[in-house]
Amino acid sequence: PNIKIEIIPQRKQEYDTLGDYFQKEDGTWLFRVSEQNDDFEFLTLIHEIIEWYFTKKHGIKEEMITKFDIYHSELGEPGDDKRAPYYKEHKFATKIEKIVCEELGIMWEEYNKPRI
C-alpha cells in the first residue's frame, strides 16, 4: 500500500490523540503524528504502523477504530479498553513501542505521560 506520514500540530488532529491513521479516497494510508520531539514522534509512528498493519491483517476496519476512539475519548487511551475492537493489536503495538523506547534510552513513564 501507498503510505504517507505527516507530522502535524496537535490541534489539527481529528480528535484528542497523538497518532492516527486512515485511508484516503485515492487508497493512500495517511499516518498523522502530533508534533513532539523526534524520538517521541518516532515512537508514536512505530505504534501506529504496527497497530494499523495488524488490524488490517485481522480484518478490523479503520472506521470501527476511529468510531470507538471518538466515542470513548474520555478514556485517555481507548485502545487499552478491553472492549476496543482493536485491543489485542493495540496492546501488541504498545509492547513493541516499549522495546523501542528502552532501546532509545527513554523511560517509559516519561514518554507515556499525558501530552494532550
Side-chain angles (χ1 to χ4, degrees):
N2 193 15
I3 293 173
K4 182 178 180 186
I5 300 164
E6 292 180 347
I7 306 299
I8 63 172
Q10 174 61 40
R11 70 183 183 285
K12 291 193 175 184
Q13 290 286 11
E14 185 178 344
Y15 56 96
D16 284 341
T17 186
L18 291 172
D20 190 21
Y21 53 88
F22 59 92
Q23 192 169 26
K24 294 172 52 176
E25 287 184 22
D26 67 0
T28 299
W29 281 93
L30 179 59
F31 289 80
R32 295 190 305 189
V33 173
S34 296
E35 289 176 338
Q36 306 165 73
N37 70 48
D38 289 346
D39 288 340
F40 284 22
E41 290 169 357
F42 178 69
L43 288 161
T44 302
L45 180 62
I46 290 290
H47 177 97
E48 297 303 318
I49 287 177
I50 291 168
E51 183 180 283
W52 161 77
Y53 188 80
F54 281 94
T55 55
K56 188 171 162 274
K57 189 93 171 145
H58 297 148
I60 302 166
K61 303 288 184 200
E62 177 269 324
E63 295 84 7
M64 292 172 55
I65 296 166
T66 300
K67 184 177 178 181
F68 186 88
D69 284 359
I70 291 171
Y71 187 75
H72 295 285
S73 61
E74 81 286 352
L75 297 175
E77 185 56 74
D80 286 338
D81 190 304
K82 290 184 179 180
R83 298 171 296 168
Y86 62 106
Y87 173 77
K88 179 180 165 191
E89 295 77 9
H90 172 79
K91 292 307 246 182
F92 178 71
T94 300
K95 286 180 191 177
I96 302 303
E97 189 178 13
K98 284 181 177 181
I99 291 168
V100 176
C101 190
E102 182 180 345
E103 187 64 25
L104 288 170
I106 299 169
M107 299 294 298
W108 178 253
E109 296 74 21
E110 181 64 27
Y111 167 68
N112 203 38
K113 285 182 184 174
R115 297 187 298 280
I116 297 176

